[in-house]
């Protein structure tokens, strides 16, 4: 499977901002959609934001208006700009792609930890 490396997480106070990066060691051009997911302690992994090959975006209701997903095909990189962070945003954030048949594109890696203090 394709390797995906997340970075950019850290400790931030509520109301602050972070930009996460996802470097894919494979071309994202052929992938139907790339997405960011997060998993908080004791909870399942949920989709936060997604962007299709055509540029359409979708966000979880909890992050609409605060997070922005983008991509750079030339760099095979997907970004997640996170503004107005809340304590409930704290989680490990992962990236991955989805094929047209629904299969995940790459392996689930270590993710990047986002911690938000109140």
């Amino acid at each position: 499977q394709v390797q995906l490396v997340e970075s950019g997480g850290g400790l931030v106070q509520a109301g602050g901002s972070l930009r996460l990066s996802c470097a894919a060691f494979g071309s994202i051009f052929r992938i139907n959609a790339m997405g960011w997911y997060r998993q908080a302690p004791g909870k399942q992994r949920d989709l936060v934001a997604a962007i299709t090959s055509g540029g359409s975006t979708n966000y979880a209701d909890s992050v609409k208006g605060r997070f922005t997903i983008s991509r750079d095909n030339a760099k095979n990189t997907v970004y997640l700009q996170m503004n107005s962070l809340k304590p409930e945003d704290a989680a490990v954030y992962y990236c991955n792609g989805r094929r047209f048949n629904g299969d995940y594109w790459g392996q689930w890696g270590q993710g990047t930890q986002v911690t938000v203090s109140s």
Side-chain angles (χ1 to χ4, degrees), residues 2-63:
V2 171
Q3 183 182 7
L4 299 145
V5 180
E6 302 93 344
S7 63
L11 174 63
V12 64
Q13 294 188 53
S17 298
L18 287 172
R19 190 182 75 157
L20 308 184
S21 297
C22 171
F25 290 85
S27 177
I28 66 173
F29 178 76
R30 300 178 180 178
I31 305 303
N32 183 43
M34 296 295 296
W36 282 96
Y37 304 76
R38 68 186 181 189
Q39 186 169 27
K43 298 183 178 180
Q44 67 180 31
R45 182 175 59 237
D46 293 322
L47 178 68
V48 177
I51 183 167
T52 69
S53 59
S56 298
T57 58
N58 180 259
Y59 299 92
D61 288 341
S62 59
V63 306

Side-chain angles (χ1 to χ4, degrees), residues 22-110:
C22 171
F25 290 85
S27 177
I28 66 173
F29 178 76
R30 300 178 180 178
I31 305 303
N32 183 43
M34 296 295 296
W36 282 96
Y37 304 76
R38 68 186 181 189
Q39 186 169 27
K43 298 183 178 180
Q44 67 180 31
R45 182 175 59 237
D46 293 322
L47 178 68
V48 177
I51 183 167
T52 69
S53 59
S56 298
T57 58
N58 180 259
Y59 299 92
D61 288 341
S62 59
V63 306
K64 285 182 178 178
R66 300 189 296 118
F67 291 10
T68 303
I69 187 171
S70 61
R71 68 184 182 187
D72 187 334
N73 288 343
K75 297 181 179 179
N76 290 317
T77 301
V78 182
Y79 304 95
L80 184 68
Q81 179 65 46
M82 309 165 66
N83 298 327
S84 302
L85 283 162
K86 303 176 180 179
E88 51 264 43
D89 294 320
V92 178
Y93 284 71
Y94 304 88
C95 65
N96 213 331
R98 297 293 295 273
R99 300 180 184 275
F100 283 99
N101 65 2
D103 292 343
Y104 288 107
W105 182 45
Q107 64 187 153
W108 294 105
Q110 298 181 28

